Amino acid sequence: MLILDINNLKKYFGNRLVLDIKDLKVYSNDKLGLVGLNGCGKTTLLNLISGEISPDNGTIRTNIKPFYIKQLEDSPNKEVDGEYIGKLGLKDKNKEFMSGGELTRLKIAKFLTENRKFLIADEPTSNLDTEGIDILIEKLISFQGAMIITSHDRDLLDKVCNKIVELEDGKIKIYEGNYSHYKTQKELERKTQELEYEKYINEKRRLEKNLIDTKTKSDKIKSSPKRMGNSEARLHKMGGQTAKKKLDNKVKAVASRIDKLEVKDKLREIDKIKVDISENEIFSKIVIEGKSLTKSFGKRTLFKNSNFQIYNKAKVALIGDNGSGKTTLLKMIMENEDNISISKKANIGYFSQNLNILDENKTIIENLLEVGLEQDARDILARFLFKRDDVYKKVSVLSGGEKVKVSLAKILLSDFNILILDEPTNYLDIYSVEAVEEALINYGGTLLFVSHDRRLIENVADTIMYIENKQINTFQGNFNDYNNKFDDFEDKDIVYKKAILENRLSEVIGLISIATKVEEKEKLDMEYMNILKELNKIR
C-alpha cells in the first residue's frame, strides 16, 4: 500500500534551493533511514511531510496522517495509555521534573497509544539512555507500518531500517538495506568513481598529447614555395602536402574524440568538521570530588550519601537510567554546591543538552564574540563548516545539529582545562559525531561526559561512573570491561551463535554489493533480513 507520494518537490529558503526531489514513494512496509549532513534539509523534509510547512513547488500526498516525533520539542499533554507508561519506566513520574530522556519516552508512549501506521521521527534517540534506546529499537522492529527516521545512531539504523535515503545538495538517492549495507555500497561507488575518473583523465591526456604531437608534425611540413614551377609544385604536393593533409585530418579526428569523451566527475570529498581541543595544565591529582552527596526533588530521591572522585586527565563517562540524576549531578558540579570540591586551577567548559549557552536572537558570530576575538571566532567556526555569510545566520533558524556545533564552538573558544559535556553528540550528523569522537580521544585534559552513544563511550572513556540504586559508583576501566563485569553469566552457546550470525551477515552484505543478477540479489536480501531478525532476538 502506498503511504507517501512526493513528486517534483522544491523548497527554497530565500534564494537557496534546499530541496529538489523528483520522486519519493513510501510503502506500508518501508522503514527508511534519512541521512545527510547537518543543515542539508532532513528536518525540513520531515516538516513538509507532516504538513507543518508547505512546498514551493510540487506535491506531497499522504494516505495516512503521520505521527511526528520532533527534535527539541516539548512532549504532548494528552492522555497516554498506562500500559506504555509502565513499560517505558514513566510510572509516577511528574512531567514537570522529567529529564530530557524521560520526555522523549513520553513522546514514544504517545505514539504507541495512538497506534498510528505512519511514523516520522527526527533524532528519536536523543537524550534516551541505553535502556530507552533498546526499548525504542524493539518497538520499531515490531512496528507494522511505514516510517521515516533521521538519526545519528548507527545501531538503530542497522537494526530497524530496510532502506537508507541519502539527502545531498537537495536531492535524494535511495539505497536498499540498512546503514551498514549503505556504507558498503557508498564505498563501492566511491572506488568505482575514482577508477572511472582516473581512466577518463588518463585517456584525455593521451589524446591531448597525441593531438599536440600530430599538430607539431603537420606544422613542420612546409607548403609549396611560390617560386616553384607547376610540375615541381605538383610533385611537392604529392609528397609532403599529401602527408600534411593526412596529419591535419588526424588532428581533427583526435580533437573530435576528445570532444566526444564521456566526462567523468572527480570524486567530491565531503566536508568534515575539524575539532582541535587545547588544554591548560592542572597539577592536582583529584580535580573534582563529591562527599556525602544527597539530592531530592520533593519525595523523589536521586542519590543519597554518595561519594565520587574524578582524577586529573581521566576520561569519565557518567551513565545511568533516564531520570537517575546524571544531568542534575553535572549541574551540581557546575554550581559548585556544598560537599563538592573543585581544584582551584580548574576552568570548566560546560556543554548543556538544552543548548542554553546560545542566545537565539543573536547571530552565530555574535554568540562567539561574547567569549573571544572575531578572528579566533571565525577560525573555529570554519572548522565547524560555518563559513563566509553563514556566520551571520541567527541561531533561531539553525537546525538542531547546527546549534550543537555552534555551542561546541563557543565552548572551545573559551579558555578551559576541564570539559563537562552533557550529550555532546545529540543531533549531529554521523560525520560530525566521528570528528568529535576523535577529538575527545586525542584530548589530553580531564573529561566528564554523559552520552547515550555506546560507540562513543566505548572509544573514549577510561572510567565509568554510574548512578544505580540511588548511589554514585565508580568503575576503573573502559565500557567493555564494565559490561563484562555484568555479563559473565551469558550462555556460551548464545555467544557462539551470535558470532556465527554476525560473520555471515558481513559476508552477505559483501555479496549483495557485487551481485549482478536480480534473482541472486533478492535471495541475498531475504537472507540478510532473516539473519538480522535472528540477531535482534539474541541481542
Side-chain angles (χ1 to χ4, degrees):
M1 177 182 172
L2 184 64
I3 301 295
L4 171 69
D5 189 10
I6 295 177
N7 288 288
N8 299 315
L9 171 68
K10 291 183 186 292
K11 183 64 181 177
Y12 293 86
F13 285 155
N15 294 323
R16 179 188 167 211
L17 180 59
V18 179
L19 294 173
D20 183 11
I21 299 174
K22 300 297 181 188
D23 179 57
L24 175 61
K25 289 180 171 60
V26 177
Y27 294 88
S28 55
N29 60 344
D30 285 339
K31 295 182 178 181
L32 306 184
L34 181 60
V35 301
L37 293 171
N38 286 134
C40 72
K42 299 188 296 293
T43 298
T44 300
L45 178 56
L46 296 187
N47 287 339
L48 284 163
I49 294 170
S50 71
E52 296 203 356
I53 59 176
S54 301
D56 294 312
N57 294 101
T59 59
I60 302 174
R61 296 186 180 91
T62 55
N63 294 324
I64 300 174
K65 183 176 174 60
F67 184 95
Y68 192 6
I69 297 179
K70 298 174 66 176
Q71 58 170 285
L72 301 178
E73 179 197 40
D74 195 11
S75 295
N77 288 310
K78 295 180 181 178
E79 187 175 346
V80 176
D81 193 309
E83 175 190 355
Y84 298 117
I85 288 289
K87 286 182 177 179
L88 291 164
L90 299 173
K91 190 176 181 181
D92 300 326
K93 295 289 180 71
N94 186 328
K95 182 183 172 184
E96 184 181 351
F97 299 112
M98 283 185 181
S99 67
E102 288 171 325
L103 289 171
T104 301
R105 288 191 187 202
L106 190 57
K107 297 176 196 174
I108 296 167
K110 177 70 167 58
F111 161 63
L112 295 171
T113 297
E114 293 198 2
N115 194 29
R116 298 275 188 91
K117 294 301 180 184
F118 183 22
L119 169 68
I120 54 178
D122 197 357
E123 297 290 354
T125 62
S126 292
N127 300 320
L128 285 180
D129 56 23
T130 53
E131 181 192 16
I133 293 172
D134 288 340
I135 292 171
L136 176 63
I137 289 174
E138 178 188 345
K139 296 301 180 185
L140 293 181
I141 289 172
S142 60
F143 173 59
Q144 299 297 313
M147 68 176 70
I148 305 175
I149 295 178
T150 68
S151 180
H152 65 270
D153 191 311
R154 293 155 283 187
D155 198 41
L156 181 146
L157 294 175
D158 268 345
K159 291 178 178 177
V160 172
C161 298
N162 54 26
K163 289 181 182 178
I164 298 295
V165 179
E166 180 187 65
L167 182 57
E168 184 178 2
D169 294 331
K171 301 182 186 297
I172 63 167
K173 189 170 183 180
I174 300 174
Y175 294 82
E176 297 290 334
N178 65 6
Y179 182 75
S180 291
H181 190 190
Y182 155 75
K183 291 287 284 183
T184 301
Q185 292 179 78
K186 286 293 291 183
E187 181 62 20
L188 186 62
E189 283 180 5
R190 190 186 69 81
K191 289 179 179 177
T192 301
Q193 188 176 347
E194 281 181 340
L195 289 172
E196 287 181 348
Y197 179 73
E198 185 179 352
K199 184 179 178 181
Y200 160 71
I201 290 297
N202 289 339
E203 179 64 7
K204 186 179 179 183
R205 286 173 179 168
R206 186 187 72 79
L207 290 173
E208 286 174 342
K209 184 178 183 303
N210 192 338
L211 182 68
I212 293 170
D213 291 345
T214 305
K215 287 181 70 175
T216 302
K217 287 179 183 179
S218 175
D219 292 342
K220 286 181 179 179
I221 298 176
K222 298 179 180 178
S223 58
S224 304
K226 292 181 179 179
R227 293 171 296 174
M228 187 176 289
N230 290 337
S231 59
E232 290 177 306
R234 281 195 298 271
L235 289 171
H236 190 280
K237 188 173 182 180
M238 290 172 61
Q241 290 305 296
T242 301
K244 179 177 174 60
K245 186 175 181 180
K246 288 181 178 178
L247 289 171
D248 288 343
N249 288 338
K250 185 178 179 182
V251 167
K252 292 178 182 178
V254 173
S256 177
R257 286 181 64 186
I258 292 174
D259 289 339
K260 291 179 180 178
L261 269 180
E262 185 181 352
V263 177
K264 300 293 183 181
D265 294 327
K266 186 176 182 180
L267 183 69
R268 178 184 161 195
E269 293 294 335
I270 296 175
D271 285 338
K272 298 182 181 179
I273 69 170
K274 303 174 183 68
V275 184
D276 300 315
I277 306 177
S278 59
E279 66 268 357
N280 298 315
E281 193 71 29
I282 296 179
F283 298 102
S284 307
K285 183 178 179 182
I286 297 172
V287 294
I288 304 174
E289 183 174 19
K291 293 182 178 179
S292 302
L293 291 182
T294 297
K295 191 67 175 181
S296 299
F297 290 104
K299 295 181 179 180
R300 182 184 177 193
T301 300
L302 297 177
F303 37 81
K304 57 183 179 182
N305 297 324
S306 289
N307 306 305
F308 72 89
Q309 293 179 328
I310 296 176
Y311 293 96
N312 192 12
K313 297 188 181 298
K315 293 179 180 178
V316 183
L318 176 59
I319 66 174
D321 294 338
N322 281 135
S324 61
K326 302 185 296 296
T327 296
T328 299
L329 180 57
L330 297 188
K331 288 179 179 177
M332 290 172 67
I333 293 171
M334 290 305 302
E335 292 167 5
N336 201 5
E337 290 197 6
D338 292 341
N339 297 343
I340 293 179
S341 57
I342 301 173
S343 170
K344 292 180 180 179
K345 298 273 187 171
N347 194 6
I348 299 173
Y350 177 50
F351 176 89
S352 170
Q353 61 176 275
N354 62 17
L355 308 178
N356 57 9
I357 192 174
L358 301 178
D359 186 334
E360 294 264 333
N361 296 315
K362 290 185 177 180
T363 64
I364 295 172
I365 190 70
E366 286 172 342
N367 269 277
L368 266 71
L369 289 178
E370 293 174 354
V371 295
L373 301 174
E374 181 170 357
Q375 190 56 54
D376 293 335
R378 286 182 175 275
D379 287 345
I380 198 164
L381 284 171
R383 294 207 297 272
F384 278 91
L385 307 184
F386 293 105
K387 302 174 182 178
R388 296 180 287 277
D389 290 343
D390 287 343
V391 303
Y392 298 114
K393 288 181 180 177
K394 276 200 170 183
V395 169
S396 58
V397 305
L398 300 180
S399 70
E402 289 173 317
K403 288 179 181 178
V404 169
K405 289 181 188 179
V406 176
S407 296
L408 288 171
K410 190 171 182 178
I411 289 167
L412 299 182
L413 187 60
S414 307
D415 185 26
F416 59 83
N417 45 33
I418 297 175
L419 279 178
I420 295 182
L421 310 177
D422 193 0
E423 300 285 5
T425 59
N426 268 3
Y427 311 115
L428 289 181
D429 59 66
I430 291 175
Y431 305 109
S432 300
V433 170
E434 291 172 347
V436 171
E437 180 178 275
E438 184 180 356
L440 295 179
I441 290 170
N442 295 323
Y443 175 54
T446 306
L447 172 66
L448 172 62
F449 70 101
V450 172
S451 178
H452 68 269
D453 190 321
R454 285 187 180 92
R455 297 187 194 183
L456 182 76
I457 297 172
E458 288 171 359
N459 293 334
V460 173
D462 56 29
T463 303
I464 305 297
M465 195 156 76
Y466 59 101
I467 302 175
E468 187 177 68
N469 298 325
K470 300 178 182 178
Q471 289 292 309
I472 302 170
N473 307 289
T474 303
F475 177 83
Q476 297 298 331
N478 61 32
F479 195 50
N480 287 329
D481 293 335
Y482 168 80
N483 283 325
N484 290 336
K485 176 184 176 184
F486 301 101
D487 290 343
D488 290 339
F489 62 89
E490 187 172 5
D491 188 278
K492 292 181 179 179
D493 290 337
I494 292 177
V495 175
Y496 180 67
K497 184 179 179 182
K498 185 165 72 170
I500 291 175
L501 287 171
E502 287 174 343
N503 287 335
R504 179 55 186 166
L505 190 68
S506 298
E507 291 176 6
V508 171
I509 289 172
L511 291 171
I512 289 173
S513 66
I514 60 174
T516 55
K517 295 181 179 179
V518 176
E519 299 83 3
E520 182 184 4
K521 187 175 180 181
E522 287 177 350
K523 185 178 178 181
L524 288 167
D525 279 335
M526 187 171 292
E527 183 181 357
Y528 169 84
M529 295 307 296
N530 289 334
I531 294 172
L532 201 59
K533 286 179 182 177
E534 288 297 315
L535 276 172
N536 288 333
K537 288 178 184 177
I538 293 174
R539 289 167 177 163

